[in-house]
Amino acid sequence: PPKPPDDGPRPQPKLHHLDGRDPGVGLRGDFFAPGWRYDAYAGKSWTDGTYEIESFLIDRLATSLNVVQNANGTFSCVAQASIPNCVAAPELNAASIGGNLSPAYRDYILDNTIGTTLFRETTFSFGVDGPLFALPGGDAQMALGLEYRKQRIDDTPDQQAINGNLYGLTASVPTRGSDSVKEFYGELYLPLIADRPFMENVNINASARYTDYESYGSDVTYKVAGEWQFFEGIGIRGSYGTSYRAPALAEQFLGATSGFIGAGSDPCDADNFPLDPNAYNTTQRTRAANCAAIGINVATFQQNNGITVFNRGGAETGLEAETSTNWSVGAVVAPRMSGPVSISLALDYFNIKVENGVSSLGGGTILSRCYSATDFSPTEGFCRFVQRNANNALTVTSGFVNLSTDVVKGFEFTGRLGADLFGGRFTFNASLTKYTEQSDRLFPEEILLDSNGTLNTPDWVGSFDATYRKGAFLFRYGLEWFDGSSGTYKLFSTSRQTGLVDTALEQSYRDLYLLETPAYFLHSASMQVMAAEDFVVTIGARNLFDKKPPRVSAAVNTVGNAPLYSGYDYTGRQFFVNTTFKF
C-alpha cells in the first residue's frame, strides 16, 4: 500500500520510478524535444559460489564393514586386493561407538563434497520521458521504455551427491536452465486541476507494461491511480492494478532430488488410528475407508519402509505464471503547520488477489490430502503424485505447482511526526497493518480458508521508529510488533472441501500440541556519529532485550520426551558496528 507523501515537491515520472529500481550506471542526457530526456543502460551481473559438506560415502562404508579377521586378531577388507586403500572398520567398543575413530579410517569413509552454483544475467534497457502538453494543473508527463533481460542458472552438486553416494543424505542432480524476457512499458501523468476551491490538486496516473517471456509467453499488466487533494495536505487517493510474475529459474528448473519422510507419515499406518474404531474422528473414518478401498486394513497395517519423496522443478509439469489484481483506497492528511513541526498521516484499505501462485508442496501434505479426500481416487487429485507398490512402499513426487488463489485484505496506517527539540530534530515514523483476511486454496474445488490471526499469519503487525539528530550525532530506537495467534487448532481441523470443523480432531490437537503464541516485540537501538565529513560510525544492537521468540510444538508429539521439531530458530541479541567512508 502507498505511503504518505514526503514534504518535498512531487517528482516527475522517470524511468527508474516505472521499473521499480535504479537502473544504475547508464547513459543519460537531454532529448531533442525541450524537457525530454533519454536513459540507456546495459549491465552484466554474475554470481559464482560453492557449497561443501563433509559426508560419509555409502560405498566406502559398505566396503569397510565387509571384513575378515587376520591371524593376529586385526581386520582387513575383503576387497583389499582390488581396493588397496580400503581401511577396515574398527571393532565395536565404547570408543568407536562414541565416535573415536582413527584418522586413517575417517579419511577413508569421509569426503568433503563440493558443489558449485553459477548465475548469469544480462540486461539492456532504454527509456525516454518528458512533458506532452499543458493542463490546468501543470504539464502532462509521459515516459516510455523497453527492456531485455536474460538469466541463466547452473547448479552442479558434487559427483558423489549426483551418484546418491552420501550416507543419510539425498541424491541430487544439476539444476540448469535459462529464460529471457522482453518488456515494453509506458506511463502517463495527468495533473488535471490545481489551486482551485476544493480542488487543490487533482491528478491521474496510468501505466501499462507488455511482458513476453521465452518460457511462458506474453501478458499485459496495467495500473490506474488517482489523487484528489481537497485542500493543501488533505485528500483521498485510490488505485487499481494487475501484475504478472513468471516463476524464477530455480522454480522452473530445479533438478530432481530424492529424500525420505518417516514411515509413520503413511496415512494408512495403524499407529495413526485409535485402537477402538468407534473413537475415530471424521478425518480418520474417511482415511480408513480410503485405505480399505485399496485393500489396506488400518487396524493391522504397519508401514515398515521409509517414504521416498522426489522433488523437481515445475517446467516439466506445466508450471504457469502468477497473476494478480489489487486495488486500494485511502486518505492522506499532511497539513502545513507553522513553526518547526510537521505531521503526515495516511490510512489505506488494500485488496490483493493472486491467481496461480507458485508454491512447493511437501510430501506429507500430498499424502494427507490424498487419503483425506471424500471423493478418493488412487490416480486423481493429490493421489496422482502418490505411488504404492506391491509391497505397500510409498513414493511421492513433489515439486513446484500453481496454487489456485491467495487473497489478502486489510488496512494500513502510516504516520510521521517531525519536530525541533532541544536544538536537534526529532522524527517518529509508525506503520501499522490490520489484516482482515489472509485466505488461500490449492484447487478451485476447495473453499477459501482464512488463516488470519492464526500461527504464522498475525492479523496485526507494526513497526515504529524514533530518531533524534543533533549535530554530528543520530540516535535511533526501533520497535517491531507481531500480534499473538488464536484459532490455529480450529484452522487445522477445518476441511478444505466442506469448511466444516472436526471438533474431535481439534481437541486432539489441543491435547497433543502447543500451537498458539503470545504477542512478540523486538527492540533495536543504534547511535551514529559523523566523526568527519567523509567518515561515519554506527554502533547498535538488534533484539536489544534478548527476547526469545514464542515456542510452539508444531509437528511434535508432546506425549514423548524427544521432540523432532521445535518451532523457530533463535539468534539472540546481536551487536554491530559499521563504518562508512565517502570518497
Side-chain angles (χ1 to χ4, degrees), residues 554-570:
V556 175
N557 190 330
T558 57
V559 174
N561 60 4
L564 302 177
Y565 176 74
S566 58
Y568 300 93
D569 291 331
Y570 174 57

Side-chain angles (χ1 to χ4, degrees), residues 342-356:
S342 64
I343 185 171
S344 62
L345 305 171
L347 179 64
D348 293 277
Y349 173 80
F350 57 89
N351 184 314
I352 304 169
K353 184 177 183 180
V354 178
E355 301 281 2
N356 293 324

Side-chain angles (χ1 to χ4, degrees), residues 245 247 318-324 353-359 401-406 441-442 444:
R245 186 188 80 87
L319 188 66
E320 298 179 358
E322 295 179 351
T323 60
S324 77
K353 184 177 183 180
V354 178
E355 301 281 2
N356 293 324
V358 177
S359 185
V401 298
N402 291 108
L403 304 182
S404 178
T405 308
D406 285 277
R441 64 185 175 196
L442 292 178

Side-chain angles (χ1 to χ4, degrees), residues 156-450:
T156 305
D158 189 273
Q159 191 61 46
Q160 298 286 6
I162 295 175
N163 295 340
N165 195 35
L166 304 183
Y167 181 76
L169 298 176
T170 62
S172 302
V173 298
T175 295
R176 293 169 181 159
S178 64
D179 202 0
S180 64
V181 58
K182 298 183 290 289
E183 293 185 307
F184 304 91
Y185 55 85
E187 182 171 356
L188 184 64
Y189 172 69
L190 301 174
L192 302 178
I193 303 176
D195 301 323
R196 300 289 179 85
F198 205 62
M199 294 183 181
E200 180 69 23
N201 183 17
V202 179
N203 62 73
I204 294 176
N205 185 276
S207 60
R209 180 183 294 262
Y210 171 78
T211 304
D212 183 14
Y213 276 92
E214 179 184 358
S215 56
Y216 288 95
S218 60
D219 198 3
V220 175
T221 56
Y222 62 89
K223 180 180 180 180
V224 179
E227 181 183 23
W228 182 354
Q229 206 174 71
F230 307 122
F231 311 102
E232 186 173 3
I234 300 177
I236 58 176
R237 61 191 179 188
S239 68
Y240 180 87
T242 63
S243 66
Y244 171 83
R245 186 188 80 87
L249 294 180
E251 294 170 337
Q252 296 184 57
F253 303 111
L254 176 69
T257 59
S258 63
F260 301 92
I261 55 179
S265 295
D266 187 336
C268 297
D269 191 276
D271 291 340
N272 295 320
F273 296 85
L275 294 177
D276 183 3
N278 295 320
Y280 290 2
N281 58 40
T282 303
T283 301
Q284 290 168 336
R285 286 194 293 271
T286 300
R287 290 182 178 180
N290 293 340
C291 294
I294 58 174
I296 296 179
N297 183 352
V298 299
T300 58
F301 175 69
Q302 292 287 333
Q303 178 59 267
N304 296 317
N305 301 289
I307 301 171
T308 303
V309 179
F310 290 105
N311 292 281
R312 58 184 178 181
E316 58 184 292
T317 57
L319 188 66
E320 298 179 358
E322 295 179 351
T323 60
S324 77
T325 58
N326 63 86
W327 61 272
S328 68
V329 293
V332 179
V333 178
R336 182 177 296 277
M337 304 180 68
S338 60
V341 177
S342 64
I343 185 171
S344 62
L345 305 171
L347 179 64
D348 293 277
Y349 173 80
F350 57 89
N351 184 314
I352 304 169
K353 184 177 183 180
V354 178
E355 301 281 2
N356 293 324
V358 177
S359 185
S360 179
L361 291 176
T365 299
I366 292 173
L367 282 170
S368 177
R369 297 295 301 277
C370 167
Y371 283 91
S372 298
T374 54
D375 54 348
F376 174 77
S377 169
T379 59
E380 299 178 356
F382 279 93
C383 294
R384 68 181 183 272
F385 302 118
V386 179
Q387 290 182 320
R388 188 184 290 271
N389 67 16
N391 297 320
N392 279 315
L394 285 169
T395 299
V396 181
T397 301
S398 178
F400 289 96
V401 298
N402 291 108
L403 304 182
S404 178
T405 308
D406 285 277
V407 176
V408 179
K409 302 176 183 178
F411 296 88
E412 182 177 61
F413 167 80
T414 53
R416 178 173 183 171
L417 172 66
D420 290 344
L421 189 66
F422 304 121
R425 184 67 177 176
F426 171 79
T427 304
F428 177 75
N429 294 291
S431 176
L432 189 64
T433 303
K434 165 60 178 176
Y435 294 98
T436 58
E437 181 179 347
Q438 298 182 76
S439 57
D440 68 274
R441 64 185 175 196
L442 292 178
F443 295 106
E445 63 270 18
E446 298 178 340
I447 65 167
L448 273 171
L449 187 58
D450 190 1

Side-chain angles (χ1 to χ4, degrees), residues 485-504:
S485 67
S486 63
T488 305
Y489 298 105
K490 184 177 180 180
L491 174 72
F492 287 0
S493 307
T494 302
S495 169
R496 285 186 173 268
Q497 282 72 40
T498 64
L500 299 177
V501 179
D502 188 332
T503 54

